Amino acid sequence: MPVANNSADQFDVAVVGGGPAGATAAHYLARQGWSVAMIDRPGRIKPCGGLIPPQLIREFDIPFDLIAANVRGARIISPTHRHADMDIPAPGVALPPDAKDGPLSMLSMVDREVFDEWLRKRATQAGADRRDGKFTSLTQDGEGVLIEYQEGRGRDGSAKKQVWARTVIGADGARSAVGKQAVPGAQDIPCVGAYHEIVESPTPTDDRFDPNRADLHYRGELSPDFYAWVFPHGGTTSVGVATGVKGFSMKSSVAQLRKEIGLDKAKTYRCEGAPIPIGPLERWDDGRNVVLVGDAAGVVASASGEGIYYAMASAQHAAEAVEETLRTGNGEALGNAYKAFMKQHGQVFKVLATLQKFWYKNDNRRERFVSICRDPDVQALTWDAYMNKRLVKARPMAHIRIMVKNIAHLTGLARSS
Ligand SMILES: Cc1cc2nc3c(=O)[nH]c(=O)nc-3n(C[C@H](O)[C@H](O)[C@H](O)COP(=O)(O)OP(=O)(O)OC[C@H]3O[C@@H](n4cnc5c(N)ncnc54)[C@H](O)[C@@H]3O)c2cc1C
């Protein structure tokens, strides 16, 4: 490792941010034997619905005891309160022999307070040097990057610290400070707002709330351009909404939804919001020694707002690209992170962006969208794509049937029923 001309602790890699993206990158690189600093601002639970697909559990070796709850399907609700129930088909994946109660043909919910901390601990156990602090600035010095951070939450007066690293991974979330300083365009990633309330789960008395079901409301009155959700996590439930429309009151939407499903009087544990970037950025790196991942790179799927799996997948690709840069000294190799990620997921991102643009436009289209969701072919392909993170090419007849039905709905030949 070349020695920098200062007294800061020196590393091969500094990872800024210890959410799903940062902790995944730090874990992989430390396990490969590189020296890694992971700087994470402590003390805040990431606001998040916590819905994750089985592919995340498989690909990133997540133990089943981290799962707060499993649900067996989703209910999609239309502007006129009709619904499509999308139950997950029979198990497509064999259970590991030591599986407890976590079948991989379920949707899983994680509590981010527990999930993120477990990921960070796994990274430190692999050898990453965890630093509690708030990143403030980076300076290139020819050989690498000098990073400054303030200890703890970074409040006024807290001690200023430095680390020096040959490469930097910016995993500090939406509106990334690392991105702002190092990667052109990063500060312009468009975001939608998201807000949710964590409430005590009720004992179900009727069909309005089901602890084994994730509800998604496609209703313009709750969200003019996205959706509202009810995600049960066992003892607690996340009731939330997202929208890109400025001035729209997400708090009022959540209040209305809680009332409709009989959770208006339920005990409220937390009310919190955060931006969701809807990217991805077209270039994640500076061609020298800095690369962005996860929300910092805008890697969240349109239409679904799904970001946890993609944060971890992008971090894995970035970590591999960083290894190549460390081995060869070629900063351009960092660009492989974006290329590898888009090769795997680019098509899904495109399909979801088109889907959102068309189907979320007005209540008439949302009504038709919910009708389409009743179709068994649509359900089978949707679940396979979501759960396994791939677009299935194996069923051409199903694709053709869906296309014909889509055209019928788009042209008004089919009525929403
Ligand atoms: C309300 C809401 C609901 C959502 N629901 C879902 C869902 O159900 N399923 C899903 O897949 N996705 C969901 N998402 C999206 C998902 O939460 C994100 O895409 C995901 O957390 C991105 O992971 P990340 O590691 O890139 O960033 P983050 O999870 O934001 O982690 C960033 C980390 O960096 C740290 N950090 C930030 N600034 C600094 C700094 N200056 N210095 C040091 N550290 C810093 C933070 O403390 C944090 O630990 C939701 C988002 C919101 C807002």
Side-chain angles (χ1 to χ4, degrees):
M1 180 163 72
V3 179
N5 190 17
N6 64 61
S7 59
D9 291 344
Q10 298 183 10
F11 296 89
D12 293 313
V13 192
V15 179
V16 179
T24 299
H27 172 237
Y28 173 81
L29 287 161
R31 229 177 23 169
Q32 297 300 107
W34 302 102
S35 59
V36 179
M38 178 175 67
I39 304 161
D40 186 55
R41 192 180 54 198
R44 182 172 185 244
I45 305 167
K46 167 79 185 182
C48 183
L51 176 65
I52 57 165
Q55 181 62 18
L56 186 157
I57 297 170
R58 283 194 293 270
E59 200 172 318
F60 298 102
D61 288 330
I62 302 302
F64 288 126
D65 56 13
L66 273 190
I67 307 301
N70 287 304
V71 298
R72 59 165 163 67
R75 173 168 285 187
I76 314 293
I77 298 125
S78 83
T80 58
H81 296 265
R82 292 174 322 109
H83 63 255
D85 278 333
M86 298 182 64
D87 287 343
I88 295 167
V93 185
L95 286 181
D98 61 343
K100 286 187 275 173
D101 54 352
L104 292 179
S105 60
M106 303 283 259
L107 305 182
S108 299
M109 303 288 177
V110 289
D111 289 335
R112 293 291 299 269
E113 183 175 15
V114 178
F115 182 69
D116 289 18
E117 186 54 24
W118 186 87
L119 292 174
R120 285 189 281 269
K121 279 205 177 121
R122 178 165 73 171
T124 50
Q125 277 159 10
D129 182 343
R130 177 174 173 176
R131 311 266 173 125
D132 282 352
K134 180 186 174 196
F135 163 87
T136 51
S137 69
L138 57 80
T139 315
Q140 302 275 355
D141 71 4
E143 303 270 354
V145 185
L146 184 67
I147 293 206
E148 289 201 333
Y149 65 95
Q150 282 184 292
E151 263 189 334
R153 285 198 50 72
R155 297 215 166 87
D156 286 350
S158 53
K160 287 188 177 152
K161 298 270 175 171
Q162 296 182 331
V163 294
W164 181 93
R166 293 169 65 197
T167 53
V168 176
I169 295 182
D172 49 340
R175 309 218 164 100
S176 157
V178 174
K180 202 172 189 174
Q181 293 183 36
V183 180
Q187 72 254 52
D188 305 323
I189 299 177
C191 290
V192 299
Y195 169 80
H196 77 158
E197 297 181 0
I198 306 277
V199 302
E200 187 170 27
S201 298
T203 309
T205 51
D206 54 42
D207 195 39
R208 289 182 301 165
F209 174 84
D210 183 339
N212 297 311
R213 188 183 74 206
D215 288 354
L216 293 97
H217 291 254
Y218 290 89
R219 298 163 50 201
E221 59 177 334
L222 293 180
S223 170
D225 55 345
F226 223 76
Y227 63 84
W229 69 82
V230 181
F231 290 170
H233 284 224
T236 61
T237 293
S238 157
V239 184
V241 65
T243 179
V245 175
K246 292 225 160 39
F248 183 85
S249 171
M250 293 189 282
K251 282 189 180 172
S252 304
S253 275
V254 169
Q256 180 181 335
L257 185 51
R258 282 182 62 170
K259 197 164 182 193
E260 284 175 7
I261 59 175
L263 291 183
D264 47 335
K265 304 232 163 44
K267 183 172 177 184
T268 304
Y269 293 105
R270 295 201 308 272
C271 301
E272 54 200 15
I276 303 183
I278 304 289
L281 195 62
E282 283 180 7
R283 179 159 191 168
W284 299 356
D285 63 288
D286 67 350
R288 296 169 73 183
N289 39 32
V290 181
V291 60
L292 304 177
V293 291
D295 277 14
V299 189
V300 179
S302 312
S304 68
E306 183 189 3
I308 306 173
Y309 170 78
Y310 293 116
M312 296 170 82
S314 63
Q316 180 64 38
H317 288 304
E320 286 163 17
V322 161
E323 274 200 295
E324 196 179 332
T325 295
L326 289 169
R327 274 199 219 102
T328 62
N330 175 16
E332 289 295 336
L334 294 174
N336 293 341
Y338 172 81
K339 285 185 208 143
F341 180 89
M342 291 311 277
K343 190 169 173 204
Q344 217 171 339
H345 304 291
Q347 213 184 341
V348 171
F349 273 57
K350 266 193 208 145
V351 168
L352 289 174
T354 310
L355 190 146
Q356 179 179 355
K357 222 183 215 163
F358 187 82
W359 290 113
Y360 296 12
K361 209 175 175 84
N362 57 46
D363 274 354
N364 185 24
R365 289 194 184 169
R366 288 185 194 101
E367 206 66 46
R368 289 171 185 279
F369 173 67
V370 172
S371 295
I372 284 192
C373 288
R374 292 215 187 99
D375 186 285
D377 288 328
V378 170
Q379 294 201 2
L381 292 182
T382 303
W383 282 133
D384 200 37
Y386 174 75
M387 310 225 340
N388 304 311
K389 293 290 165 255
R390 56 178 186 181
L391 277 184
V392 196
K393 297 195 180 100
R395 299 181 56 208
M397 277 319 290
H399 281 288
I400 290 167
R401 281 200 298 275
I402 288 169
M403 201 174 74
V404 170
K405 287 170 198 163
N406 250 312
I407 290 169
H409 275 278
L410 295 180
T411 55
L413 289 174
R415 271 193 282 163
S416 42
S417 55

